[in-house]
Amino acid sequence: MSLESGRSSLYQKYVKKRISAVIKFQSGPDTKHSQLSVCSKLCYAIGGAPYQITGCALGFFLQIYLLDVALVDPFYASIILFGGRAWDAITDPTVGFLVSRSPWTRFGKMMPWIVLSTPLAVVCYFLIWYVPPIDQGKIIWYLMFYCLFQTLQTCFHVPYSALTMFISSEQKERDSATAYRMTVEVLGTVIGTGIKGQIVGLANAPCIPVGDDFNSSSQDFGPEVNISQPHISLEHTRQAYMIASGVISAIYVLCAVILFCGVKERKETTRVRSEPMSFFQGIRLVMGHGPYVKLVMGFLFTSLAFMLLEGNFALFCCYTLGFRDDFQNILLVIMFSATLTIPFWQWFLTRFGKKTAVYCGTTAVIPFLILVVLLKSNLIVTYMISFAAGVSIAAAFLLPWSMLPDVVDDFKVHNPETQGHEAIFYSFYVFFTKFASGVSLGISTLSLDFAGYVTRGCSQPVEVDITLKVLVSAAPIFLIIIGLIIFITYPINEERCQGNRKLLNEENELDSETDSTETDGSVV
């Protein structure tokens, strides 16, 4: 505490010394510019929907699509899932660095990236859900377009995430805009789950009887027959995936247009007092900030837990719980519950603090992860557990993006001569979570392969059932506990946040007055 108070005292002296050297005007800076209208917050929030809509569709359905619809071998499917996520993780810090070095344009610094990446990203997303008329080149097709889409989506999402710092200089307005954004983003997961799940659910992928399933009926099932819906072929299922991807692509474009037309990016009021840094210098400086490292590592493990749950829950519902025709509705209930409870968690973190919200929100899911594997398969109970689990997922969505601006502000206070690295902070958080997601999806798919997963099987071996239970219950709980232990050492509390904002507001006022003085002098 003495070191921190000493730094604050030194910086306050630095600010006062600069203030005394500047001619002050009677009227201070116009703080109303920092106020955001409800319309601006909504337009900003809508811009976050494409990332969640496509991400949710890919997270919940890509694994089962590759295995049971595109008929990719589980080993190669694990390569596609891991390769795409790993590549996506690598592009995040690179794009973050390029965005931080981008010049200011008439449309802003972040908006050009968002606008230019959108049409190409939509094309690549659509082609991910198309089954090419080739067998040998399938893995290259899916890996190529998955990686391209992830790169283009990074060019959209990294500048969009950093845009939080450029829509207002007031922390209260940023937190409010973040709450709007999280509400819309979780609603985006509902839309992504609903569109993909409901359209695909009308044409479930055909399954093939396995083992004892042959003895349950004397029928001769062909490879293109769905036992529960005999009139549906594999080709119908593939068309359903393409229709769903077309609808999602249209929504992606619409959200990008609303963001561009409804949000004004504000230029930083602080002076850029540092020379441009190299890529590795920026990384070393950002990663050397202790609170940022602890925040990222804490959310790395908790996010990984929810990613494991997301990536394997569709298979878990189909094969372990036996709800092959209802899994899309179960996923929809989880996301709908998360959407409804975002406002509650926003109130909770403002009332009790963000660290308290992390502990309460993240641990709330643990009892339900235990119940879902211990209780007997019952559809009504599963719906109830899914709704309750969505409450915790809402906290997992909201808290990382609400706490990242606090870390950026803390970095600015302790590094007053270094500015303009917001995009690097956001991109490295996304980098770690996406890389972990790639590792988790790759390992989980390989685990299913080793357990003897049967592609398009109406049932699975006992080993696959046990593996799925571990992937959606035991492993996530273990990762959540590790993340919470790391959060114990996270040093930024509400008092420190308020102190940082006070110092930064004083600096903004000083720079505004300095700019006004220099402009007045040049005119004279």
Side-chain angles (χ1 to χ4, degrees):
M1 289 298 294
S2 60
L3 177 60
E4 295 299 328
S5 61
R7 287 178 176 175
S8 298
S9 177
L10 286 174
Y11 189 61
Q12 285 177 339
K13 291 180 180 178
Y14 166 78
V15 172
K16 290 178 180 178
K17 184 177 179 181
R18 290 191 63 198
I19 292 175
S20 64
V22 177
I23 299 175
K24 297 183 179 180
F25 287 87
Q26 291 182 349
S27 60
D30 184 7
T31 57
K32 291 184 179 180
H33 282 302
S34 298
Q35 302 296 319
L36 296 174
S37 66
V38 173
C39 181
S40 295
K41 292 177 184 178
L42 284 174
C43 291
Y44 167 73
I46 289 172
Y51 179 77
Q52 295 300 338
I53 293 174
T54 56
C56 191
L58 290 168
F60 278 129
F61 295 97
L62 184 58
Q63 185 183 50
I64 196 171
Y65 166 79
L66 291 174
L67 294 174
D68 289 352
V69 180
L71 305 183
V72 177
D73 182 85
F75 175 76
Y76 293 119
S78 68
I79 294 176
I80 294 170
L81 293 170
F82 171 74
R85 286 286 188 169
W87 173 255
D88 185 25
I90 293 172
T91 60
D92 277 301
T94 305
V95 171
F97 175 75
L98 294 175
V99 170
S100 67
R101 297 290 295 271
S102 299
W104 185 267
T105 69
R106 57 177 296 198
F107 301 109
K109 187 177 181 179
M110 307 296 167
M111 284 296 182
W113 287 85
I114 294 171
V115 173
L116 294 177
S117 64
T118 295
L120 296 175
V122 165
V123 173
C124 291
Y125 177 79
F126 182 80
L127 292 176
I128 290 174
W129 304 100
Y130 172 71
V131 180
I134 51 176
D135 290 327
Q136 300 300 323
K138 275 184 182 179
I139 182 173
I140 298 175
W141 174 278
Y142 289 115
L143 185 60
M144 178 180 68
F145 284 108
Y146 191 30
C147 289
L148 283 174
F149 172 72
Q150 297 287 19
T151 302
L152 292 165
Q153 190 184 49
T154 297
C155 293
F156 181 104
H157 191 63
V158 167
Y160 172 76
S161 299
L163 190 63
T164 308
M165 306 299 295
F166 295 91
I167 58 176
S168 176
S169 61
E170 294 294 327
Q171 184 61 42
K172 183 178 179 180
E173 292 297 309
R174 291 179 192 168
D175 286 343
S176 177
T178 299
Y180 275 82
R181 170 189 165 187
M182 290 302 106
T183 302
V184 173
E185 285 196 3
V186 178
L187 181 60
T189 65
V190 175
I191 295 173
T193 306
I195 291 174
K196 205 76 177 181
Q198 297 304 314
I199 294 177
V200 171
L202 297 175
N204 281 329
C207 65
I208 300 174
V210 178
D212 295 337
D213 292 336
F214 282 110
N215 301 326
S216 61
S217 175
S218 60
Q219 290 181 331
D220 183 17
F221 296 103
E224 299 296 317
V225 175
N226 186 325
I227 292 178
S228 59
Q229 302 181 53
H231 62 285
I232 295 178
S233 68
L234 181 61
E235 187 61 33
H236 289 145
T237 304
R238 291 172 175 175
Q239 290 175 1
Y241 272 94
M242 291 184 65
I243 292 171
S245 65
V247 175
I248 289 175
S249 297
I251 295 174
Y252 192 119
V253 174
L254 179 62
C255 291
V257 171
I258 292 174
L259 173 67
F260 177 75
C261 296
V263 176
K264 181 180 179 182
E265 187 177 343
R266 305 180 190 278
K267 198 169 185 178
E268 287 183 297
T269 57
T270 56
R271 293 164 172 252
V272 179
R273 295 182 291 273
S274 60
E275 294 296 326
M277 289 188 175
S278 68
F279 177 68
F280 292 104
Q281 284 177 324
I283 292 175
R284 189 162 54 249
L285 187 65
V286 168
M287 296 305 297
H289 191 57
Y292 177 71
V293 174
K294 292 173 182 177
L295 181 73
V296 169
M297 293 303 295
F299 278 121
L300 171 64
F301 285 97
T302 56
S303 299
L304 181 55
F306 286 102
M307 289 173 186
L308 271 177
L309 181 63
E310 177 187 67
N312 295 280
F313 200 69
L315 291 173
F316 178 76
C317 289
C318 289
Y319 297 115
T320 301
L321 298 181
F323 302 136
R324 185 178 183 86
D325 295 330
D326 298 284
F327 77 93
Q328 69 274 7
N329 296 324
I330 296 172
L331 300 179
L332 190 60
V333 167
I334 294 175
M335 295 297 102
F336 182 71
S337 170
T339 303
L340 292 179
T341 50
I342 280 285
F344 164 77
W345 286 116
Q346 175 62 22
W347 168 83
F348 190 94
L349 67 87
T350 56
R351 178 67 177 81
F352 300 101
K354 295 176 182 178
K355 284 188 70 173
T356 304
V358 169
Y359 286 111
C360 295
T362 307
T363 55
V365 75
I366 293 178
F368 304 107
L369 293 180
I370 297 173
L371 285 174
V372 79
V373 297
L374 293 182
L375 293 179
K376 273 191 171 184
S377 179
N378 183 291
L379 186 58
I380 302 299
V381 174
T382 302
Y383 275 125
M384 295 172 62
I385 292 175
S386 299
F387 185 88
V391 176
S392 185
I393 291 175
F397 268 94
L398 174 64
L399 289 166
W401 302 111
S402 180
M403 297 173 75
L404 273 171
D406 299 339
V407 175
V408 175
D409 287 341
D410 191 74
F411 175 82
K412 288 181 177 180
V413 168
H414 291 86
N415 298 271
E417 298 298 323
T418 303
Q419 304 293 334
H421 299 293
E422 292 84 359
I424 298 179
F425 276 99
Y426 282 86
S427 63
F428 259 92
Y429 168 71
V430 179
F431 163 78
F432 282 113
T433 54
K434 286 184 177 179
F435 187 80
S437 172
V439 172
S440 68
L441 285 174
I443 291 176
S444 61
T445 309
L446 277 178
S447 300
L448 292 174
D449 187 27
F450 293 146
Y453 180 86
V454 180
T455 301
R456 294 172 58 203
C458 293
S459 63
Q460 297 293 337
V462 176
E463 293 79 5
V464 173
D465 179 65
I466 295 173
T467 301
L468 286 171
K469 288 181 178 179
V470 171
L471 292 173
V472 302
S473 181
I477 291 172
F478 176 73
L479 292 168
I480 287 173
I481 292 173
I482 294 177
L484 293 179
I485 291 174
I486 295 174
F487 271 117
I488 295 175
T489 63
Y490 178 68
I492 300 179
N493 53 26
E494 300 307 308
E495 292 181 1
R496 184 162 167 175
C497 284
Q498 293 175 4
N500 289 339
R501 283 312 311 163
K502 183 178 179 181
L503 286 174
L504 291 174
N505 286 336
E506 290 176 355
E507 185 185 6
N508 288 343
E509 292 177 6
L510 170 64
D511 286 333
S512 178
E513 292 171 352
T514 303
D515 290 339
S516 299
T517 303
E518 291 177 351
T519 302
D520 183 67
S522 63
V523 171
V524 174

